[in-house]
Coordinates of all heavy atoms in Angstrom, one line a residue:
I501 N -2.6 3.7 1.9 CA -2.4 2.6 2.8 C -3.4 1.5 2.5 O -4.5 1.7 2.1 CB -2.6 3.1 4.3 CG1 -2.3 2.0 5.3 CG2 -4.1 3.5 4.5 CD1 -2.1 2.5 6.7
E502 N -2.9 0.2 2.5 CA -3.8 -0.9 2.3 C -3.9 -1.7 3.6 O -2.9 -1.9 4.3 CB -3.1 -1.9 1.3 CG -3.9 -3.1 0.9 CD -5.1 -2.8 0.0 OE1 -5.2 -1.7 -0.5 OE2 -5.9 -3.8 -0.2
V503 N -5.1 -2.0 4.0 CA -5.4 -2.6 5.3 C -6.0 -4.0 5.0 O -7.0 -4.1 4.3 CB -6.3 -1.8 6.2 CG1 -6.6 -2.5 7.5 CG2 -5.7 -0.4 6.5
K504 N -5.5 -5.0 5.7 CA -6.1 -6.3 5.6 C -6.4 -6.8 7.0 O -5.5 -6.8 7.9 CB -5.1 -7.3 4.9 CG -4.7 -7.0 3.5 CD -5.8 -7.2 2.6 CE -5.4 -6.9 1.1 NZ -6.5 -7.1 0.2
A505 N -7.6 -7.3 7.2 CA -8.0 -7.9 8.4 C -8.0 -9.4 8.3 O -8.6 -9.9 7.3 CB -9.4 -7.4 8.9
R506 N -7.3 -10.1 9.1 CA -7.3 -11.6 9.1 C -7.4 -12.1 10.5 O -7.2 -11.4 11.5 CB -6.0 -12.0 8.4 CG -5.8 -11.6 7.0 CD -6.8 -12.4 6.1 NE -6.6 -12.2 4.7 CZ -7.2 -11.3 4.0 NH1 -8.1 -10.4 4.6 NH2 -7.0 -11.1 2.7
S507 N -7.7 -13.4 10.6 CA -7.8 -14.0 11.9 C -6.5 -14.1 12.6 O -6.5 -14.1 13.9 CB -8.4 -15.4 11.7 OG -7.6 -16.2 10.9
D508 N -5.4 -14.2 11.9 CA -4.1 -14.1 12.6 C -3.1 -13.3 11.8 O -3.3 -13.1 10.6 CB -3.6 -15.5 12.9 CG -3.2 -16.3 11.7 OD1 -2.2 -16.0 11.0 OD2 -4.0 -17.3 11.4
S509 N -2.1 -12.8 12.4 CA -1.1 -11.9 11.7 C -0.4 -12.6 10.6 O -0.2 -12.0 9.5 CB -0.1 -11.4 12.7 OG -0.7 -10.7 13.8
K510 N -0.1 -13.9 10.7 CA 0.6 -14.6 9.7 C -0.1 -14.7 8.4 O 0.4 -14.5 7.3 CB 1.0 -16.0 10.2 CG 2.0 -16.7 9.3 CD 2.4 -18.0 10.0 CE 3.5 -18.7 9.2 NZ 4.0 -19.9 9.8
A511 N -1.4 -14.9 8.5 CA -2.3 -14.9 7.3 C -2.3 -13.6 6.6 O -2.3 -13.5 5.4 CB -3.7 -15.4 7.7
G512 N -2.3 -12.5 7.4 CA -2.4 -11.2 6.9 C -1.1 -10.8 6.1 O -1.1 -10.0 5.1
L513 N 0.0 -11.4 6.5 CA 1.3 -11.1 5.8 C 1.3 -11.5 4.4 O 2.0 -10.9 3.6 CB 2.5 -11.7 6.6 CG 2.7 -11.1 8.0 CD1 3.8 -11.9 8.7 CD2 3.1 -9.6 7.9
Y514 N 0.5 -12.5 4.1 CA 0.5 -13.0 2.7 C -0.7 -12.5 1.9 O -1.0 -12.9 0.8 CB 0.4 -14.6 2.7 CG 1.7 -15.2 3.3 CD1 1.7 -15.6 4.6 CD2 2.8 -15.3 2.6 CE1 2.8 -16.2 5.2 CE2 4.0 -15.8 3.1 CZ 4.0 -16.2 4.4 OH 5.1 -16.7 5.0
A515 N -1.4 -11.5 2.5 CA -2.7 -11.1 1.9 C -2.5 -10.1 0.8 O -3.4 -9.9 -0.1 CB -3.6 -10.5 3.0
L516 N -1.4 -9.4 0.7 CA -1.2 -8.4 -0.3 C -0.3 -9.0 -1.4 O 0.9 -9.1 -1.3 CB -0.5 -7.1 0.3 CG -0.3 -6.0 -0.7 CD1 -1.6 -5.4 -1.1 CD2 0.5 -4.9 0.0
S517 N -1.0 -9.3 -2.5 CA -0.3 -10.0 -3.6 C 0.4 -8.9 -4.5 O 0.2 -7.7 -4.4 CB -1.3 -10.8 -4.5 OG -2.1 -9.9 -5.2
T518 N 1.3 -9.4 -5.4 CA 2.0 -8.6 -6.4 C 0.9 -7.9 -7.3 O 1.1 -6.7 -7.6 CB 3.0 -9.4 -7.2 OG1 3.9 -10.0 -6.3 CG2 3.7 -8.6 -8.2
A519 N -0.1 -8.7 -7.7 CA -1.1 -8.1 -8.5 C -1.9 -6.9 -7.8 O -2.2 -5.9 -8.4 CB -2.1 -9.2 -8.9
Q520 N -2.1 -7.1 -6.5 CA -2.8 -6.0 -5.8 C -1.8 -4.8 -5.6 O -2.3 -3.6 -5.7 CB -3.2 -6.5 -4.4 CG -4.3 -7.4 -4.4 CD -4.6 -8.0 -3.1 OE1 -3.7 -8.5 -2.4 NE2 -5.9 -8.1 -2.7
Q521 N -0.5 -5.0 -5.4 CA 0.4 -3.9 -5.4 C 0.4 -3.2 -6.7 O 0.4 -1.9 -6.8 CB 1.8 -4.4 -5.1 CG 2.0 -5.0 -3.7 CD 3.4 -5.6 -3.5 OE1 4.3 -5.1 -4.0 NE2 3.4 -6.6 -2.7
Q522 N 0.4 -3.9 -7.8 CA 0.3 -3.3 -9.2 C -1.0 -2.5 -9.4 O -0.9 -1.4 -9.9 CB 0.5 -4.3 -10.2 CG 1.9 -4.9 -10.2 CD 2.0 -6.2 -11.1 OE1 1.0 -6.7 -11.6 NE2 3.2 -6.6 -11.4
R523 N -2.1 -3.0 -8.9 CA -3.4 -2.3 -9.0 C -3.3 -1.0 -8.2 O -3.8 0.1 -8.7 CB -4.5 -3.2 -8.4 CG -5.9 -2.5 -8.4 CD -6.9 -3.3 -7.8 NE -6.6 -3.8 -6.4 CZ -6.7 -3.1 -5.3 NH1 -7.0 -1.9 -5.3 NH2 -6.3 -3.6 -4.1
I524 N -2.7 -1.0 -7.0 CA -2.6 0.2 -6.2 C -1.7 1.2 -6.9 O -2.0 2.4 -6.9 CB -2.1 -0.2 -4.8 CG1 -3.2 -1.0 -4.0 CG2 -1.7 1.0 -4.0 CD1 -2.6 -1.7 -2.8
A525 N -0.6 0.7 -7.4 CA 0.3 1.6 -8.1 C -0.4 2.3 -9.4 O -0.2 3.5 -9.6 CB 1.5 0.8 -8.6
R526 N -1.2 1.5 -10.1 CA -1.9 2.0 -11.3 C -2.9 3.1 -10.8 O -3.0 4.2 -11.4 CB -2.6 0.9 -12.0 CG -1.7 0.1 -12.9 CD -2.5 -0.7 -13.9 NE -3.5 -1.6 -13.3 CZ -3.3 -2.8 -12.8 NH1 -2.1 -3.3 -12.8 NH2 -4.3 -3.5 -12.2
A527 N -3.6 2.8 -9.7 CA -4.5 3.8 -9.2 C -3.8 5.1 -8.8 O -4.3 6.2 -9.0 CB -5.3 3.2 -8.0
A528 N -2.6 5.0 -8.2 CA -1.9 6.2 -7.8 C -1.4 6.9 -9.0 O -1.5 8.2 -9.1 CB -0.7 5.8 -6.9
G529 N -1.0 6.2 -10.0 CA -0.6 6.8 -11.3 C -1.7 7.6 -12.0 O -1.6 8.7 -12.5
L530 N -2.9 7.0 -11.9 CA -4.1 7.6 -12.5 C -4.5 8.9 -11.7 O -4.7 9.9 -12.3 CB -5.3 6.7 -12.5 CG -6.6 7.2 -13.0 CD1 -6.5 7.6 -14.5 CD2 -7.7 6.2 -12.9
F531 N -4.4 8.8 -10.4 CA -4.6 10.0 -9.6 C -3.7 11.1 -9.9 O -4.1 12.3 -10.1 CB -4.5 9.6 -8.1 CG -4.6 10.8 -7.2 CD1 -5.9 11.3 -6.8 CD2 -3.5 11.5 -6.7 CE1 -6.0 12.4 -6.0 CE2 -3.6 12.6 -5.9 CZ -4.9 13.0 -5.5
L532 N -2.4 10.8 -10.0 CA -1.4 11.8 -10.3 C -1.5 12.4 -11.7 O -1.3 13.5 -11.9 CB 0.0 11.2 -10.1 CG 0.4 10.9 -8.7 CD1 1.8 10.2 -8.6 CD2 0.4 12.2 -7.8
S533 N -2.0 11.6 -12.7 CA -2.3 12.1 -14.0 C -3.4 13.1 -14.0 O -3.5 14.0 -14.8 CB -2.5 11.0 -15.0 OG -3.7 10.3 -14.8
Q534 N -4.4 12.9 -13.1 CA -5.5 13.8 -13.0 C -5.3 15.0 -12.2 O -6.0 16.0 -12.3 CB -6.8 13.0 -12.5 CG -7.2 11.9 -13.5 CD -8.4 11.1 -13.0 OE1 -8.8 11.3 -11.9 NE2 -9.0 10.3 -13.9
Y535 N -4.3 14.9 -11.2 CA -4.0 15.9 -10.3 C -2.5 16.2 -10.4 O -1.8 15.8 -9.4 CB -4.5 15.6 -8.9 CG -5.9 15.5 -8.8 CD1 -6.5 14.2 -8.9 CD2 -6.8 16.6 -8.6 CE1 -7.9 14.0 -8.8 CE2 -8.2 16.4 -8.6 CZ -8.7 15.1 -8.7 OH -10.1 15.0 -8.6
P536 N -1.9 16.7 -11.4 CA -0.5 16.8 -11.6 C 0.2 17.7 -10.6 O 1.4 17.6 -10.3 CB -0.3 17.4 -13.0 CG -1.6 17.9 -13.4 CD -2.7 17.2 -12.6
K537 N -0.6 18.5 -9.9 CA 0.0 19.4 -8.8 C 0.6 18.6 -7.7 O 1.4 19.0 -7.0 CB -1.0 20.4 -8.3 CG -2.1 19.9 -7.5 CD -3.1 21.0 -7.1 CE -4.2 20.4 -6.3 NZ -5.1 21.5 -5.9
Y538 N 0.2 17.3 -7.6 CA 0.7 16.4 -6.5 C 1.8 15.6 -7.0 O 2.4 14.8 -6.2 CB -0.4 15.5 -6.0 CG -1.6 16.3 -5.3 CD1 -2.8 16.3 -5.9 CD2 -1.4 17.0 -4.1 CE1 -3.9 17.1 -5.3 CE2 -2.4 17.7 -3.5 CZ -3.6 17.8 -4.1 OH -4.6 18.5 -3.5
A539 N 2.2 15.6 -8.2 CA 3.2 14.7 -8.8 C 4.6 14.9 -8.1 O 5.3 13.9 -8.0 CB 3.3 14.9 -10.3
G540 N 4.9 16.1 -7.7 CA 6.2 16.4 -7.1 C 6.2 16.1 -5.6 O 7.3 16.2 -5.0
Q541 N 5.1 15.7 -5.0 CA 5.1 15.4 -3.6 C 5.7 14.1 -3.2 O 5.6 13.1 -4.0 CB 3.6 15.5 -3.1 CG 2.9 16.8 -3.4 CD 3.6 18.0 -2.7 OE1 3.9 17.9 -1.5 NE2 3.8 19.1 -3.4
D542 N 6.2 14.0 -2.0 CA 6.7 12.7 -1.6 C 5.4 11.8 -1.3 O 4.4 12.2 -0.9 CB 7.4 12.8 -0.2 CG 8.7 13.5 -0.4 OD1 9.3 13.5 -1.5 OD2 9.2 14.1 0.6
S543 N 5.6 10.5 -1.6 CA 4.5 9.5 -1.4 C 5.1 8.2 -0.9 O 6.3 8.0 -1.1 CB 3.7 9.3 -2.6 OG 4.5 8.8 -3.7
R544 N 4.3 7.4 -0.4 CA 4.7 6.0 0.0 C 3.5 5.1 0.1 O 2.4 5.6 0.1 CB 5.4 6.1 1.4 CG 4.5 6.3 2.6 CD 5.3 6.3 3.9 NE 4.4 6.1 5.0 CZ 4.6 6.6 6.2 NH1 5.6 7.4 6.4 NH2 3.7 6.4 7.1
F545 N 3.8 3.8 0.1 CA 2.8 2.8 0.1 C 3.0 2.1 1.4 O 4.0 1.4 1.6 CB 2.8 1.9 -1.1 CG 2.5 2.6 -2.4 CD1 3.5 3.2 -3.1 CD2 1.2 2.7 -2.8 CE1 3.2 3.8 -4.3 CE2 0.8 3.3 -4.0 CZ 1.8 3.9 -4.7
D546 N 2.0 2.2 2.3 CA 2.0 1.5 3.6 C 1.0 0.3 3.5 O 0.1 0.2 2.7 CB 1.6 2.4 4.7 CG 2.6 3.5 5.0 OD1 3.6 3.6 4.4 OD2 2.3 4.2 6.0
F547 N 1.3 -0.7 4.4 CA 0.5 -1.9 4.5 C 0.2 -2.2 5.9 O 1.2 -2.2 6.7 CB 1.2 -3.0 3.8 CG 0.5 -4.4 3.8 CD1 -0.8 -4.5 3.4 CD2 1.2 -5.5 4.4 CE1 -1.4 -5.8 3.4 CE2 0.6 -6.7 4.4 CZ -0.7 -6.9 3.9
M548 N -1.0 -2.4 6.3 CA -1.4 -2.7 7.7 C -2.0 -4.1 7.7 O -2.9 -4.4 6.9 CB -2.3 -1.7 8.3 CG -1.6 -0.4 8.5 SD -2.7 0.8 9.3 CE -2.3 0.5 11.0
V549 N -1.7 -4.9 8.7 CA -2.3 -6.2 9.0 C -3.0 -6.1 10.3 O -2.4 -5.7 11.3 CB -1.3 -7.3 9.0 CG1 -2.0 -8.6 9.4 CG2 -0.5 -7.5 7.7
V550 N -4.3 -6.3 10.3 CA -5.1 -6.2 11.5 C -5.6 -7.6 11.9 O -6.3 -8.2 11.1 CB -6.3 -5.2 11.4 CG1 -7.1 -5.1 12.6 CG2 -5.8 -3.8 10.9
S551 N -5.2 -8.1 13.0 CA -5.7 -9.4 13.5 C -6.4 -9.2 14.8 O -6.5 -8.1 15.3 CB -4.5 -10.4 13.6 OG -3.6 -10.0 14.6
R552 N -6.8 -10.2 15.4 CA -7.6 -10.1 16.6 C -6.8 -9.4 17.7 O -7.4 -8.6 18.4 CB -8.0 -11.5 17.0 CG -8.9 -11.5 18.2 CD -9.4 -12.9 18.5 NE -10.6 -12.8 19.3 CZ -11.4 -13.7 19.5 NH1 -11.3 -14.9 18.9 NH2 -12.5 -13.5 20.3
W553 N -5.6 -9.7 17.9 CA -4.8 -9.2 19.0 C -3.6 -8.2 18.6 O -2.9 -7.8 19.4 CB -4.2 -10.3 19.8 CG -5.3 -11.2 20.3 CD1 -5.5 -12.5 19.8 CD2 -6.4 -11.0 21.2 NE1 -6.6 -13.1 20.4 CE2 -7.2 -12.2 21.3 CE3 -6.8 -9.9 21.9 CZ2 -8.3 -12.3 22.1 CZ3 -7.9 -10.0 22.7 CH2 -8.6 -11.2 22.8
R554 N -3.5 -8.0 17.3 CA -2.3 -7.3 16.9 C -2.6 -6.4 15.7 O -3.3 -6.8 14.8 CB -1.2 -8.3 16.6 CG 0.1 -7.7 16.1 CD 1.1 -8.8 15.7 NE 1.7 -9.3 17.0 CZ 2.6 -10.3 17.0 NH1 2.9 -10.9 15.8 NH2 3.1 -10.7 18.1
I555 N -1.9 -5.3 15.6 CA -1.9 -4.5 14.4 C -0.4 -4.3 14.0 O 0.4 -3.9 14.8 CB -2.5 -3.1 14.6 CG1 -3.9 -3.2 15.0 CG2 -2.3 -2.2 13.4 CD1 -4.6 -1.9 15.4
L556 N -0.1 -4.7 12.8 CA 1.3 -4.6 12.2 C 1.2 -3.5 11.1 O 0.4 -3.6 10.2 CB 1.8 -5.9 11.6 CG 1.8 -7.1 12.6 CD1 2.1 -8.3 11.8 CD2 2.8 -6.8 13.7
W557 N 2.1 -2.5 11.2 CA 2.1 -1.4 10.2 C 3.5 -1.4 9.5 O 4.5 -1.2 10.2 CB 1.9 -0.1 10.9 CG 1.7 1.1 10.0 CD1 1.9 1.1 8.7 CD2 1.4 2.4 10.4 NE1 1.7 2.4 8.2 CE2 1.4 3.2 9.3 CE3 1.1 3.0 11.7 CZ2 1.1 4.6 9.4 CZ3 0.9 4.3 11.7 CH2 0.9 5.1 10.6
F558 N 3.5 -1.7 8.2 CA 4.7 -1.7 7.4 C 4.7 -0.4 6.6 O 4.0 -0.3 5.6 CB 4.7 -2.9 6.5 CG 4.7 -4.2 7.3 CD1 3.5 -4.9 7.5 CD2 5.9 -4.8 7.7 CE1 3.4 -6.0 8.2 CE2 5.8 -6.0 8.4 CZ 4.6 -6.6 8.7
K559 N 5.5 0.5 7.0 CA 5.7 1.8 6.3 C 6.6 1.5 5.1 O 7.6 0.8 5.2 CB 6.2 2.9 7.2 CG 5.3 3.2 8.4 CD 5.8 4.2 9.3 CE 4.9 4.5 10.4 NZ 5.4 5.4 11.4
H560 N 6.3 2.2 4.0 CA 7.1 2.0 2.8 C 7.1 0.5 2.4 O 8.2 -0.1 2.1 CB 8.5 2.5 2.9 CG 8.6 4.0 3.2 ND1 8.4 4.9 2.3 CD2 8.8 4.6 4.4 CE1 8.5 6.1 2.8 NE2 8.7 6.0 4.1
A561 N 6.0 -0.1 2.4 CA 5.9 -1.6 2.3 C 6.3 -2.1 0.9 O 6.9 -3.1 0.8 CB 4.4 -2.0 2.5
F562 N 6.1 -1.3 -0.1 CA 6.6 -1.6 -1.5 C 6.9 -0.4 -2.3 O 6.3 0.7 -2.0 CB 5.6 -2.6 -2.2 CG 4.2 -2.0 -2.4 CD1 3.9 -1.4 -3.6 CD2 3.2 -2.1 -1.5 CE1 2.6 -0.9 -3.8 CE2 2.0 -1.6 -1.7 CZ 1.7 -1.0 -2.9
E563 N 7.7 -0.5 -3.2 CA 8.1 0.6 -4.1 C 7.4 0.5 -5.4 O 7.1 -0.6 -5.9 CB 9.7 0.5 -4.3 CG 10.5 0.7 -3.0 CD 10.3 2.1 -2.4 OE1 10.2 3.1 -3.2 OE2 10.3 2.2 -1.2
V564 N 7.2 1.6 -6.0 CA 6.7 1.7 -7.4 C 7.7 2.4 -8.2 O 8.1 3.5 -7.9 CB 5.3 2.4 -7.4 CG1 4.9 2.6 -8.8 CG2 4.3 1.7 -6.6
P565 N 8.1 1.8 -9.3 CA 9.1 2.5 -10.2 C 8.5 3.7 -10.8 O 7.3 3.8 -11.1 CB 9.4 1.5 -11.3 CG 8.6 0.3 -11.1 CD 7.8 0.5 -9.8
T566 N 9.3 4.8 -10.8 CA 8.9 6.0 -11.4 C 9.4 6.1 -12.8 O 10.5 5.6 -13.1 CB 9.3 7.2 -10.6 OG1 10.7 7.2 -10.5 CG2 8.7 7.2 -9.2
H567 N 8.7 6.8 -13.7 CA 9.1 6.9 -15.1 C 9.2 8.4 -15.3 O 8.3 9.2 -15.4 CB 8.0 6.3 -16.1 CG 7.8 4.9 -15.8 ND1 8.7 3.9 -16.2 CD2 6.8 4.2 -15.3 CE1 8.3 2.7 -15.9 NE2 7.1 2.9 -15.3
N568 N 10.5 8.8 -15.5 CA 10.7 10.3 -15.8 C 10.7 10.5 -17.3 O 11.4 9.8 -18.0 CB 12.1 10.7 -15.2 CG 12.1 10.6 -13.7 OD1 11.0 10.8 -13.0 ND2 13.2 10.3 -13.1
N569 N 9.9 11.5 -17.7 CA 9.8 11.8 -19.2 C 10.8 12.8 -19.5 O 11.2 13.7 -18.8 CB 8.4 12.2 -19.5 CG 7.4 11.1 -19.3 OD1 7.8 9.9 -19.4 ND2 6.2 11.5 -19.1

């Protein structure tokens, strides 16, 4: 899960860039390469925006392509 705190919800919606999504995906790939027993497990990437008066939770916020060998 990636959490972004912003002064308003609208600003938070733009806080997760494509580059950050790719960084998160690379980190997940590295984790799975070091712990292959988890490779077959279901996973998802969630994104939360926390503002002063609201919490928005986007489940399955972005997809990461899988490479089957």
Side-chain angles (χ1 to χ4, degrees):
I501 188 164
E502 181 77 7
V503 178
K504 298 289 184 181
R506 295 292 186 266
S507 58
D508 65 72
S509 300
K510 193 172 185 178
L513 293 175
Y514 296 101
L516 185 63
S517 69
T518 301
Q520 288 173 315
Q521 292 176 34
Q522 292 169 346
R523 177 187 51 81
I524 293 166
R526 282 193 306 274
L530 179 60
F531 175 84
L532 292 175
S533 71
Q534 293 178 353
Y535 299 94
K537 67 181 180 180
Y538 297 113
Q541 303 297 316
D542 291 336
S543 61
R544 71 180 198 211
F545 293 91
D546 290 1
F547 177 59
M548 294 182 88
V549 177
V550 180
S551 65
R552 186 174 197 160
W553 307 110
R554 180 185 279 180
I555 297 174
L556 302 173
W557 185 356
F558 300 93
K559 296 178 182 178
H560 301 279
F562 61 94
E563 297 293 323
V564 175
T566 58
H567 301 287
N568 296 328
N569 295 334

